Amino acid sequence: MSRFFATGSDSESEESSSADEITPKATGTTFNKNKEAFTTNLILCCPLRFRFEELTNIIKTIRNAMKIRDMSKCLEEFEQLYRAFLKSKTIVDKEGVPQFYIRLLADLEDYLNQLWEDKEGKKKMNKNNAKALSTLRQKIRKYNKDFETEIASYKEVLNSSTNVISLCRCQDEESESDDDEDSEDWGSDSVDSGGESEDNEGAAASLAVVFLKKYKDGRRKRHKKIEQVEEEVDEDGEAEEGGWEKVKGGVPLVKEKPKMFAKGTEINSAVVIKKLTEILQARGKKGTDRAAQIELLHALSGISNENNLGQGILVKIKFNIIASLYDYNTNLAAFMKPEMWKKCLECIDELLDILFENNNIFIGENIAEDSENLAISDQPFRVRGCILTLVERMDEEFTKIMQNTDPHSQEYVDNLKDEGRVCGIIDRLLQYLESKGSTEEVCRIYLRRIMHTYYKFDYKAHRQLLPWVTGPFSEQDQEESEGEDSAIIMDRLCKFIYAKDRTDRIRTCAILCHIYHHALHSRWYQARDLMLMSHLQDNIQHADPPVQILYNRTMVQLGICAFRQGMIKDAHNALLDIQSSGRAKELLGQGLLMRNMQERNAEQEKIEKRRQVPFHMHINLELLECVYLVSAMLLEIPYMAAHEFDARRRMISKQFHHQLRVGERQPLLGPPESMREHVVAASKAMKMGDWRTCHSFIINEKMNSKVWDLFPETQCVREMLVRKIQEESLRTYLFTYSSVYDSISMETLSEMFELELPTVHSIISKMIINEELMASLDQPTQTVVMHRTEPTSLQNMALQLAEKLGGLVENNERVFDLKQGVYGGYFNRGTRTRP
Amino acid sequence: MCFGPFPLHQTMASRKESAASGSSPLETPVKQIQIDGLVVLKIIKHYQEEGQGSEVVQGVLLGLVVEDSLEITNCFPFPQHTEDDVDFDEVQYQMEMMRSLRHVNIDHLHVGWYQSTYYGSFVSRALLDSQFSYQHAIEESVVLIYDPIKTAQGSLCLKAYRLTPKLMEICKEKDFSPEGLKKACIGFEIMFEEVPIVIKNSHLINVLLLDLQEKSTVADKHELLNLSSSNHLEKSLQLLMDRVDDMNQDIGKYNTYCRNLSKQQQQKQQYLQRRQQENTQRQSRGEPPLPEEDISKMFKPPQAPPRMDTLLIAGQVNNYCQNIKEFTSQNLGKLFMAEALQGHSS
């Protein structure tokens, strides 16, 4: 086929399709000046016709119901009509209240009054109907008050015109033909409605009404049409000037678009605001093209900028642009598209620019719509809107984006780069609010700032603490070392919140973040004190899940911090709750556990997904587990050795025992591979008091790369660990093998465990004082002399048996008591002693 | 633990044919058991070959009743089989075995069964049940308990037990409720009775033994003088403790039962009293008394825990205690002896 043919057919089909859309009569339209105007008309008419058709349909059913005196149906339909009328409010505002609507209202009221008067008829009515009648009557009376003038005028006309029906008729016939000639598009529906009612009622009065209506309608429409034409001309002119671009007309329901600024002669703030409200009314409605709306708002801001309408309006429009950007996704779970996100960031930035430049703009969510001052005047601008909410929402959107990006992709890194911008915006807003906002707002923005700070390790501060790290700093380092220390910032912000905040939640979050930050930077005592002073552990279970997740994260970080500081017991205690459940992943909000659908339906899963912490804030789970297991090992192995024969020995850590059992169950034990296997192997070595093997299992290449290198101060931690292993191995050794020694030289011990003599001395002394080791120190020879007073296993066993038998006897006696009736007397004893 | 070998009714019938003169309940109960040396050796060998640790081996005893003594002249082991070979027919095996033995002119009459034990733990429900079915079918049958551990220490430990007639009655009635046991006046002491054992060898064997005794060195008997006791005691204590725990639990259960029962009794009493009061009131007002209601339906007595297991546990505990006592007394003797020896030598 030739190209020409193809194009030709294209244009043809286009034409025919557009012609199809309107009524077939349209071929004879009088003002088909150009295509643009034509489509405009089409767009304008569609909603109008649609709405009015809906109304007339309902009215028709009401009239039918009136005829058969079905009041309940009447009431029902009336309510529907009322709703439909509200929906078409925008059109009504423009077009005025449609005549047929007024007509129905008036008729209905008359009809109801008539029924009301008719006492006998009312008695005959069934209960439902009677009830409906009274409610409907009340309703319509109330409702009609709004349309009093219209109804009055209608009635007047009705009265006067009954006499001159014939006259009207001929007049109307003329006008009708006129209508037909020049207004095909909109005339048809009103004619239709008229025709219908004509069919329904044969009464002369209503006939007259129809005619009258038509007559009036015709006149009104003609007047309108003129306006319309004017508008179009304006539009065309403007479009040619290139003042603003007209958006593509492919979207049929956004009727405002082509009509931006009807009277283009003067664009003042009032007009723009009106336009703005018009656009916003479409917001949230079904079928509104949200993308187009955003475009429209952008265009509007451009116009207001051009016409220098003042910052007030601009701010207002910006607010709405951002709001509609957020609205773009109706689904709460979906996240913003990258381009939308970029746009959003830009908009907020611009908005902040404006706010910073102009000191005379007051914004606030409590400024009522009508007290806004947007026009340029001496008074400062007053704009309704809350920038804080917008920024908070932006932050949430950012989290959502991060949650929904694959953390192992380049995309994630790219997205993460935006974090800087987000932080920048929050910082700027913080400055703004510090000067202008209320305390409450300041607290909120502070919390945002804290939330973006607490989990980041401050390498710069860390480096300052390490004097031996010298050398050429790169440029980036220089750059980094400028600016405030994050600890100081955290301190300042959190303290402000502690002092000023009145909502518990913000304070709780701030405390937790503060603790987390302390813990992250190895300020263990501050972190612990803050945790203990806040008494959060007592009542955290009442908090909402996100706060609980934050709490869990904080506890974990606290535990890891304690571990680094060598407080093994504290570390173990802090981590116990999280690790013992076996759901650490879930508790930290770092992923969902696989569970069957019975426990969690799709809805819950969605909620849980929304709570997940973004990947860049994750705490390494393997590190966590390793820290926990190693601290459990350091506690448990000596304890096990000390209480080997104790029947009532409690487990310090169930999880650790579980791992040990798993290790024992292996049929063939190879060299350890995973972190857990390493710990298990090390535990076994420690059980024998073999610290060297234990050490080599805990600290080696594999474990270094897996776990220990993740700490900022790796070297210190490793040294601490070695020392702990030596000490605990010594203790274990003494517990296990003290029975085979009569005496043992401390020097030998210190050689065996490569500990200094004083340390060995202190450890053994501690054990003796705690009555863990039955021995005494012989100072001159530096030896430990065993007392050998510990019971043998057989003696232990006998003791246990004796205890058990005691219990048995007790139980037996209880049975005996029951038989003897002493037990029954037991209850009476209380009453006997009372008087 | 699997059940012991089944008593075979058919064999009993055949025995009755052969000894038709004897009335069905034995007039003179078996007073002692005479065991052939062969049987003892066979049992020991069976355990050595198949038993290990706490696993038990079982087998069938064959013999005859002669006046007031039961002579056990032969036995054969009961093959161990796992749960998965289902098609193994135990009864069939026993029948075959006995038939074959009969062909070589060996006593083929079923007189009981034997079982090995681990530190004297054999008083169990399984043993009770199978011994009951044995005694039910063949009145004179006994169970021989062989303790390999004690035997390994140097003293052969072989004991014959049978159920007392009282226990037989209870088992027949299957009434293990507290009341039933109370009525039967049974305690753990009189559940099993031990029958004295005599090991009889032919003269030829005795001669051989004497000959061997001459030849054996002193070192062979050292085992008997072993002073170390803690291992054995520890094991025994451990087992004893487990039983005591079980006992404790059972008593706890019984205790709650008793309490529930008495509580309910009280409620019942109260209800009846109220009822009576109301009835008297009604009578005084001239109204008809309230209709009788089924009280037993309203107050269902709580389920009584079966007491048989408790009895068995008690029996087992007793058994352990006996064992330990025996062991310690022997050991004390050894220790004194050792002390005296030491004093003498030094």
Side-chain angles (χ1 to χ4, degrees), chain A residues 69-81:
Chain A
R69 294 197 169 195
D70 186 352
M71 280 304 110
S72 47
K73 174 93 181 159
C74 236
L75 178 64
E76 211 175 280
E77 289 297 322
F78 177 72
E79 266 159 18
Q80 238 179 54
L81 179 70

Side-chain angles (χ1 to χ4, degrees), chain A residues 174-186:
Chain A
E174 261 174 61
S175 69
E176 208 168 358
S177 60
D178 264 8
D179 272 356
D180 276 333
E181 264 172 357
D182 53 17
S183 66
E184 318 290 355
D185 294 326
W186 54 50

Side-chain angles (χ1 to χ4, degrees), chain A residues 182-443:
Chain A
D182 53 17
S183 66
E184 318 290 355
D185 294 326
W186 54 50
S188 58
D189 66 338
S190 51
V191 174
D192 276 354
S193 70
E196 273 156 20
S197 48
E198 198 169 18
D199 289 342
N200 295 339
E201 301 169 39
S206 53
L207 254 180
V209 168
V210 176
F211 291 141
L212 275 171
K213 188 213 101 205
K214 275 184 190 161
Y215 173 64
K216 279 182 80 174
D217 270 7
R219 273 234 299 257
R220 190 161 48 91
K221 270 175 223 149
R222 228 168 285 151
H223 174 66
K224 264 254 176 61
K225 202 158 43 183
I226 295 159
E227 271 184 24
Q228 188 75 35
V229 172
E230 272 176 14
E231 274 175 25
E232 275 152 19
V233 171
D234 283 347
E235 268 172 33
D236 289 350
E238 266 187 12
E240 275 156 30
E241 279 162 28
W244 45 283
E245 264 184 32
K246 196 182 288 180
V247 189
K248 278 179 288 168
V251 202
L253 282 181
V254 186
K255 58 196 179 291
E256 293 87 350
K257 243 184 288 169
K259 280 187 64 199
M260 192 94 91
F261 303 123
K263 298 182 178 65
T265 46
E266 187 195 7
I267 295 178
N268 56 22
S269 46
V271 176
V272 172
I273 288 164
K274 192 158 166 257
K275 193 74 223 158
L276 185 63
T277 45
E278 218 168 90
I279 294 170
L280 291 181
Q281 255 156 8
R283 184 181 163 188
K285 279 190 187 134
K286 240 188 193 171
T288 314
D289 186 340
R290 292 182 294 270
Q293 213 182 3
I294 293 165
E295 290 288 326
L296 220 56
L297 284 166
H298 266 299
L300 201 63
S301 79
I303 293 168
S304 68
N305 230 354
E306 242 169 54
N307 293 292
N308 283 329
L309 291 179
Q311 304 297 346
I313 287 175
L314 203 59
V315 167
K316 174 105 181 145
I317 294 171
K318 285 273 185 227
F319 268 131
N320 285 313
I321 290 175
I322 296 162
S324 44
L325 276 169
Y326 292 148
D327 276 348
Y328 188 75
N329 279 321
T330 42
N331 191 349
L332 203 57
F335 60 102
M336 275 176 137
K337 286 191 202 127
E339 58 266 32
M340 284 295 190
W341 169 243
K342 292 266 178 313
K343 219 185 267 178
C344 176
L345 282 180
E346 274 164 27
C347 258
I348 293 178
D349 253 339
E350 282 167 27
L351 184 59
L352 280 169
D353 282 337
I354 297 170
L355 289 177
F356 268 107
E357 278 162 24
N358 302 284
N359 255 331
N360 57 348
I361 300 176
F362 286 105
I363 52 172
E365 52 194 332
N366 42 8
I367 296 172
E369 289 277 3
D370 41 6
S371 72
E372 279 184 327
N373 184 10
L374 301 174
I376 306 171
S377 59
D378 299 339
Q379 261 92 45
F381 295 109
R382 290 168 66 82
V383 184
R384 178 187 164 81
C386 180
I387 178 122
L388 179 59
T389 322
L390 291 180
V391 171
E392 277 177 343
R393 181 76 197 269
M394 172 199 76
D395 196 26
E396 274 154 28
E397 290 292 338
F398 178 67
T399 315
K400 235 189 268 176
I401 289 172
M402 296 319 285
Q403 278 169 354
N404 285 291
T405 317
D406 173 21
H408 304 293
S409 62
Q410 184 59 34
E411 201 188 345
Y412 194 88
V413 179
D414 292 340
N415 284 341
L416 195 56
K417 281 175 189 159
D418 283 338
E419 219 241 344
R421 284 188 73 183
V422 172
C423 288
I425 287 172
I426 289 174
D427 260 342
R428 290 183 65 189
L429 183 64
L430 191 143
Q431 283 165 23
Y432 179 75
L433 287 177
E434 269 175 352
S435 59
K436 295 215 166 161
S438 66
T439 340
E440 212 175 299
E441 283 173 325
V442 175
C443 282

Side-chain angles (χ1 to χ4, degrees), chain A residues 793-794 797 800-801 804-805 808 811-812 814-815 818-819 823, chain B residues 233-234 237-238 240-241 244-245 247-248 251 254-255 258-259:
Chain A
S793 66
L794 183 63
M797 206 89 94
Q800 275 176 45
L801 181 64
K804 278 189 181 160
L805 286 175
L808 183 66
N811 259 339
N812 223 8
R814 226 173 272 160
V815 175
L818 211 60
K819 282 262 157 66
Y823 197 75
Chain B
L233 273 178
E234 266 175 40
L237 277 180
Q238 193 67 53
L240 180 57
M241 246 189 294
V244 169
D245 275 345
M247 185 84 147
N248 229 340
I251 286 186
Y254 184 64
N255 208 349
C258 284
R259 218 176 305 154

